[in-house]
Amino acid sequence: MAPAEPVTPMASAGSASPTAPTGSVPSGAASATTVRLSLVAPAVNTALREARFDDSGPVEPVGRGPLAVSAGTLVLRSPSGRCRATAEALGLPDVPAEEALAGCAMGRWQGRTLAEIAAEDAESTAAWLSDPAAAPHGGESLRELRARVGAWVAGLEPGRVLVFAEPDVIRAAVAHALGAPEEVFWRLDVRPLQCVELSGRSGRWNLRLGAPLR
C-alpha cells in the first residue's frame, strides 16, 4: 500500500488555523460556523477480538488503499497503539496523538479480558457495566470519560476534523453530542473501521452513522 504524504503535526482542537494533508472524509466545504467531525474506529486486533483491556498490538489488514483527506482537515488520533497502526495502515503516518481522546483508563484491569475479570469478581464487573459513576478497577469511570471527551468536542473550532479513536471514545463523543442519557453508552455499537460523523457545533449536532471511508 503506497502511503500518502506524511501528516504535518498540527495543533490540538481549539487552536487557530489547523493545517492538514490532502483529501477528504467526506467531500464538501464546511461552513464558517460548522464543525464536521469524522470519528474512525480502529481496525481489528487480537485484544479487540478477546475483549481485552489493551489498546496496543498490531492490527489486521484493512483491505483497502490509502484514505483521502482534504486540505485543511485537522487529523488526530487517540494515543493508542492500534489507532496509530490503523492510521498508518490507511496511509497516514505520523498522525499526532490527542491525550484528551485517550481510551478510558482501566486501572488494574488493564491487560486483562472482561471474561477473566467477571469470573474473578462478578459484582465489580456488574457495577462497572451498570453504573456510569463506578470505577472498581481504580481507573476512570465512564462518566469521567464522557466529560473529558465531551469537553474536547465542545471546544472544537469550525472546520473538518478526522480522528482515529477508540470505540469507547466514539461512544462518549456521540452520547455527549446528542445529550443522550448515560445508560445509552453500552447501546452504541461501534464496529472496526466504522466512520461516525458529527456535524454542527456545541449544543446542536447532527449524527451520521456508518459513513463510508473514502
Side-chain angles (χ1 to χ4, degrees):
M1 179 187 303
E5 294 182 3
V7 175
T8 301
M10 293 162 278
S12 297
S15 62
S17 302
T19 58
T22 59
S24 170
V25 182
S27 59
S31 73
T33 61
T34 300
V35 177
R36 298 190 184 279
L37 172 62
S38 298
L39 298 155
V40 179
V44 172
N45 71 349
T46 300
L48 280 174
R49 289 195 182 281
E50 296 177 347
R52 182 181 300 277
F53 297 114
D54 181 1
D55 57 19
S56 62
V59 296
E60 297 178 4
V62 298
R64 54 156 294 143
L67 185 65
V69 182
S70 62
T73 300
L74 174 64
V75 185
L76 299 168
R77 64 173 174 85
S78 294
S80 67
R82 64 177 164 230
C83 282
R84 181 186 67 249
T86 298
E88 291 173 350
L90 289 170
L92 295 172
D94 305 319
V95 173
E98 171 56 67
E99 291 299 327
L101 299 176
C104 191
M106 297 308 297
R108 60 179 174 272
W109 289 3
Q110 186 69 28
R112 307 189 66 195
T113 68
L114 184 60
E116 292 169 349
I117 296 163
E120 190 174 284
D121 190 348
E123 184 175 348
S124 292
T125 305
W128 180 69
L129 291 171
S130 61
D131 182 1
H137 42 63
E140 186 177 30
S141 71
L142 295 179
R143 179 174 294 167
E144 291 169 330
L145 170 69
R146 174 169 168 165
R148 168 166 57 81
V149 174
W152 181 85
V153 171
L156 286 171
E157 297 283 349
R160 292 189 177 279
V161 185
L162 169 64
V163 174
F164 297 92
E166 289 297 318
D168 57 353
V169 171
I170 296 177
R171 291 189 190 103
V174 170
H176 163 80
L178 299 183
E182 291 181 322
E183 294 76 15
V184 165
F185 183 88
W186 290 118
R187 298 181 183 179
L188 299 174
D189 186 14
V190 179
R191 309 298 296 171
L193 293 176
Q194 179 180 9
C195 181
V196 174
E197 294 181 356
L198 292 170
S199 61
R201 56 189 179 276
S202 183
R204 188 185 179 97
W205 293 96
N206 294 321
L207 171 67
R208 183 184 183 192
L209 295 172
L213 291 177
R214 298 176 187 267

